[in-house]
Amino acid sequence: MKLIAANWKMNKTPQETRDYLEKFLGLMEEVGDDVEVLICPPFTSLCIAKELLDGSKIKLGAQNCHYEQKGAFTGEVSLDMLKELGVSYVIVGHSERRWIFGETDELINKKIIACLEKGIRPILCVGEKIEDREAGLTLKVVESQLKLALSGLEDVSEKIDIAYEPVWAIGSGNPAMPEDAQFVHSFIKELLGKVRVLYGGSVNSKNAGDFLSMPDVDGLLVGSASLDPVSFAQIVKASQR
Ligand code: PEP
């Protein structure tokens, strides 16, 4: 089943979350059960989102987690805390976490292992920087990120999702060509087998259908265009055409 996921990043207060979800739930009424829809708000909005999404088909995700269960980790949030708030997915290794907050492949590996142990489905983000792409290193970078993030794990291809997000395409208004995304997605499936691979990077309601028409694009991870309920609903509906 296709997965259409919203990554709100550091946007929306609890009140703004309420306003968004009240509108979005209405827009989802005519959407069938053949697509999974996921909202990943900031931690501070999880509570209100859980309340509003309970009983709906929209799932709730978090944008980050800590790998330890509890303890002296000021400012961090554990998977048990997230689970109690109805979270079933966590985005792990987003390029903003890697490149702004210095997350290493080793840390990402620990988070993936912790998610799997807790029965929370990780969405592992991988993708090359522009200089890698220009040097012809896209597949090398993606392969290395995947191998390191999944190191020590047996076949987990059915328990995780991968998001291919070229760093240069994120928030830039300059998406990859759908054919280029397809090329990398099929490479990821050659490496990992039957895994769901989402594309992310400047997806909007106009280009979503083009990505989803590619045979190995199994869903989308959407940043900016998910912040407006109408635009995100249009992207969800593009998966149904
Ligand atoms: C993202 O942050 O995961 C993302 C894809 O952002 P945007 O859609 O804004 O490029």
Side-chain angles (χ1 to χ4, degrees):
M1 197 183 319
K2 289 213 171 10
L3 170 62
I4 311 293
N7 174 15
W8 286 0
K9 312 191 186 192
M10 195 174 72
N11 291 289
K12 299 198 189 295
T13 66
Q15 183 58 50
E16 289 167 341
T17 300
R18 174 185 285 281
D19 297 343
Y20 178 109
L21 290 178
E22 281 173 357
K23 191 158 186 191
F24 185 66
L25 280 168
L27 296 168
M28 286 298 98
E29 267 165 23
E30 72 233 49
V31 170
D33 288 334
D34 53 341
V35 58
E36 254 185 292
V37 182
L38 174 69
I39 305 269
C40 303
F43 291 138
T44 44
S45 284
L46 286 171
C47 231
I48 184 70
K50 176 183 193 299
E51 203 180 301
L52 290 162
L53 296 180
D54 255 357
S56 82
K57 54 190 176 233
I58 319 286
K59 295 188 175 152
L60 195 53
Q63 300 171 18
N64 188 21
C65 65
H66 196 275
Y67 59 86
E68 291 286 358
Q69 300 205 18
K70 58 176 158 182
F73 302 101
T74 303
E76 293 292 325
V77 174
S78 77
L79 287 160
D80 285 333
M81 296 169 188
L82 295 174
K83 247 181 140 165
E84 206 170 302
L85 291 176
V87 164
S88 54
Y89 281 83
V90 175
I91 299 172
V92 178
H94 189 277
S95 73
E96 286 150 18
R97 301 283 336 153
R98 290 176 190 262
W99 306 118
I100 302 175
F101 299 104
E103 286 199 9
T104 61
D105 290 304
E106 195 190 355
L107 178 65
I108 290 164
N109 176 242
K110 287 183 176 164
K111 292 184 181 192
I112 296 279
I113 293 170
C115 285
L116 294 171
E117 280 173 4
K118 288 285 171 194
I120 288 193
R121 197 172 171 96
I123 300 176
L124 168 62
C125 301
V126 296
E128 79 287 0
K129 288 178 161 179
I130 190 66
E131 55 268 32
D132 304 320
R133 184 175 189 83
E134 285 170 358
L137 294 172
T138 298
L139 299 185
K140 257 204 153 104
V141 167
V142 167
E143 181 171 6
S144 157
Q145 289 174 338
L146 288 171
K147 287 203 164 141
L148 293 168
L150 301 178
S151 119
L153 292 164
E154 295 292 312
D155 178 14
V156 289
S157 54
E158 303 209 19
K159 297 188 190 132
I160 67 171
D161 297 307
I162 306 294
Y164 169 56
E165 300 207 300
V167 179
W168 48 270
I170 295 180
S172 65
N174 177 31
M177 299 288 291
E179 295 75 14
D180 290 346
Q182 164 60 29
F183 180 68
V184 179
H185 285 218
S186 90
F187 172 73
I188 293 172
K189 292 186 190 195
E190 264 169 45
L191 287 176
L192 298 185
K194 211 170 153 269
V195 69
R196 192 161 56 171
V197 187
L198 320 183
Y199 168 77
S202 297
V203 170
N204 57 39
S205 54
K206 295 205 174 70
N207 63 24
D210 298 337
F211 284 105
L212 291 166
S213 69
M214 295 289 128
D216 292 312
V217 174
D218 308 312
L220 300 168
L221 180 54
V222 187
S224 322
S226 73
L227 293 176
D228 173 61
V230 173
S231 135
F232 189 53
Q234 281 168 349
I235 294 172
V236 171
K237 286 175 191 167
S239 73
Q240 306 225 295
R241 275 178 224 130

